[in-house]
Amino acid sequence: MAKKRPQTKAKRPQTTGGARTAGAQGDVPVVGAREPCPCGSGRRYKACHGRAASHAATELVHRPFEGLPGECDWVALRELVPAATVELPLKDGLPEGVPAVTLATVLPMAWPALRRDDGSVLLGLQNDTSSGDISRDLADTLQRALEAKPGTPVQGRRAPADSPRLQDLLDPDGAFEPEVHTGFEFWVPDPENATPDVTASLERANAAAIPTVKLQGVDAAYWCETPEKNHLRWVMPHAEEQLLDALARLHAAGRSSLGEGTRLVGSFRAHGLTVPVWDLPSGVTAEDVEKPAAEFAERLAAALATDAPLTADERRARGGLTNRQVTLS
């Protein structure tokens, strides 16, 4: 029901000339893991001040997009949506020579970022990151892309532990309005006049993309079409336990569907949020599910406001939903 990304373990911190870490005797430079610690303890760096630096670089941030406008859509674009773009407003405005900064689900060759010939920046979201904080890694890539030479891609790296996060760089009052595409033509400014190699690459990428549509009547809900059946995947901001209780109440009462032939089948966990998933008949389109989704949102709001203990039937429904959870991140 969702794309899968190979899980990779965070690598050890790499030697970086300017990075420093706080120590008992002031700032201690970062050196190779097996080298003597510069603090003078006589121990190797990895067993001394490098231990804290390594922990800071690899500690998992469970909600990396928390505090950003459109957190639920950030999660959807990271985990569920094949092809989409969003214009990103920067807190301090666009630098000179950078006409636009655009977030993209995927870039050619899985590049982390691309500085186009016209100076605009494309930032890729669906890439493996080197540390446990996706927001910090993306912010580091964005900063380097803003300074890159036009016409060049930006490679990934482990972001310094004290570097800014997206929350520090993006305008907190800016809109986050994803545009879902049917393919990856946004990779190139003029796809109709692209070279044969680029055209072939686009055709392969487009063939692998699952048709996806963002609903307009509710937030962060995405319809998608697969050969067997269609699905609605809806990223929700509510606390997981509270949301599962509410879904269980509706499920036990027979009010969790989105119409005839549809069924709430479980949920994903992704970046600290819960994503309920419905199976839909193949003939049910995104437009068909707009009204039922809006009506479900009203039922869910009422269920979320209820704090009465779950009944026996509701507990059984909750157990079934819990057993059908899949963690994506």
Side-chain angles (χ1 to χ4, degrees), residues 158-180:
R158 180 189 296 281
D162 59 351
S163 62
R165 307 176 73 236
L166 287 173
Q167 289 81 348
D168 302 314
L169 302 182
L170 301 184
D171 184 352
D173 298 320
F176 190 84
E177 300 175 349
E179 180 182 357
V180 178

Side-chain angles (χ1 to χ4, degrees), residues 122-318:
L122 289 177
L123 177 66
L125 181 58
Q126 294 180 9
N127 291 301
D128 288 334
T129 55
S130 299
S131 78
D133 188 351
I134 297 170
S135 177
R136 195 178 307 280
D137 287 335
L138 287 170
D140 177 70
T141 301
L142 173 57
Q143 286 185 308
R144 291 186 291 120
L146 292 171
E147 298 174 354
K149 181 181 178 181
T152 60
V154 176
Q155 302 302 324
R157 72 171 188 182
R158 180 189 296 281
D162 59 351
S163 62
R165 307 176 73 236
L166 287 173
Q167 289 81 348
D168 302 314
L169 302 182
L170 301 184
D171 184 352
D173 298 320
F176 190 84
E177 300 175 349
E179 180 182 357
V180 178
H181 303 278
T182 57
F184 295 91
E185 281 74 17
F186 62 85
W187 281 356
V188 291
D190 187 9
E192 293 184 359
N193 295 318
T195 65
D197 287 345
V198 170
T199 299
S201 178
L202 280 173
E203 289 176 352
R204 288 193 298 269
N206 290 343
I210 296 174
T212 301
V213 176
K214 186 180 189 300
L215 297 195
Q216 300 303 307
V218 295
D219 292 333
Y222 291 81
W223 170 95
C224 69
E225 180 182 27
T226 63
E228 296 81 18
K229 62 186 69 175
N230 299 341
H231 306 284
L232 184 73
R233 303 176 293 189
W234 191 342
V235 187
M236 296 187 172
H238 317 292
E240 180 180 350
E241 297 303 313
Q242 181 189 18
L243 177 57
L244 288 175
D245 281 353
L247 291 173
R249 295 181 196 278
L250 296 175
H251 202 59
R255 305 182 69 205
S256 65
S257 76
L258 299 175
E260 183 178 356
T262 70
R263 186 167 65 99
L264 175 64
V265 292
S267 62
F268 299 131
R269 290 191 190 97
H271 306 293
L273 299 182
T274 303
V275 188
V277 178
W278 284 261
D279 279 354
L280 312 172
S282 296
V284 173
T285 66
E287 184 177 357
D288 293 334
V289 85
E290 285 278 7
K291 182 178 178 181
E295 294 171 345
F296 178 85
E298 295 180 358
R299 299 197 298 273
L300 179 63
L304 287 166
T306 303
D307 57 6
L310 296 180
T311 66
D313 287 343
E314 290 168 348
R315 288 197 300 272
R316 281 192 291 272
R318 193 186 196 283

Side-chain angles (χ1 to χ4, degrees), residues 61-79 103 125 133-136 138 165-167 170 176 270-273 329:
V61 176
H62 290 280
R63 285 184 66 180
F65 308 116
E66 185 177 15
L68 291 173
E71 178 188 8
C72 293
D73 284 309
W74 276 92
V75 172
L77 267 57
R78 167 77 181 182
E79 297 295 338
L103 181 73
L125 181 58
D133 188 351
I134 297 170
S135 177
R136 195 178 307 280
L138 287 170
R165 307 176 73 236
L166 287 173
Q167 289 81 348
L170 301 184
F176 190 84
H271 306 293
L273 299 182
S329 59

Side-chain angles (χ1 to χ4, degrees), residues 8-137:
T8 57
K9 295 183 178 180
K11 300 177 182 178
R12 292 184 178 275
Q14 301 296 312
T15 302
T16 54
R20 306 179 75 85
T21 181
Q25 300 177 2
D27 286 347
V28 176
V30 174
V31 298
R34 296 181 178 274
E35 295 180 30
C37 187
C39 76
S41 67
R43 290 181 292 174
R44 290 179 177 179
Y45 177 70
K46 69 176 183 179
C48 192
H49 283 88
R51 182 178 300 171
S54 177
H55 178 74
T58 59
E59 186 175 9
L60 178 64
V61 176
H62 290 280
R63 285 184 66 180
F65 308 116
E66 185 177 15
L68 291 173
E71 178 188 8
C72 293
D73 284 309
W74 276 92
V75 172
L77 267 57
R78 167 77 181 182
E79 297 295 338
L80 306 174
V81 181
T85 55
V86 188
E87 296 299 312
L88 296 180
L90 303 187
K91 183 179 295 186
D92 298 325
L94 294 171
E96 184 178 355
V98 180
V101 173
T102 303
L103 181 73
T105 48
V106 180
L107 294 180
M109 307 297 292
W111 286 328
L114 172 66
R115 183 84 185 271
R116 280 180 157 166
D117 291 335
D118 67 354
S120 61
V121 168
L122 289 177
L123 177 66
L125 181 58
Q126 294 180 9
N127 291 301
D128 288 334
T129 55
S130 299
S131 78
D133 188 351
I134 297 170
S135 177
R136 195 178 307 280
D137 287 335

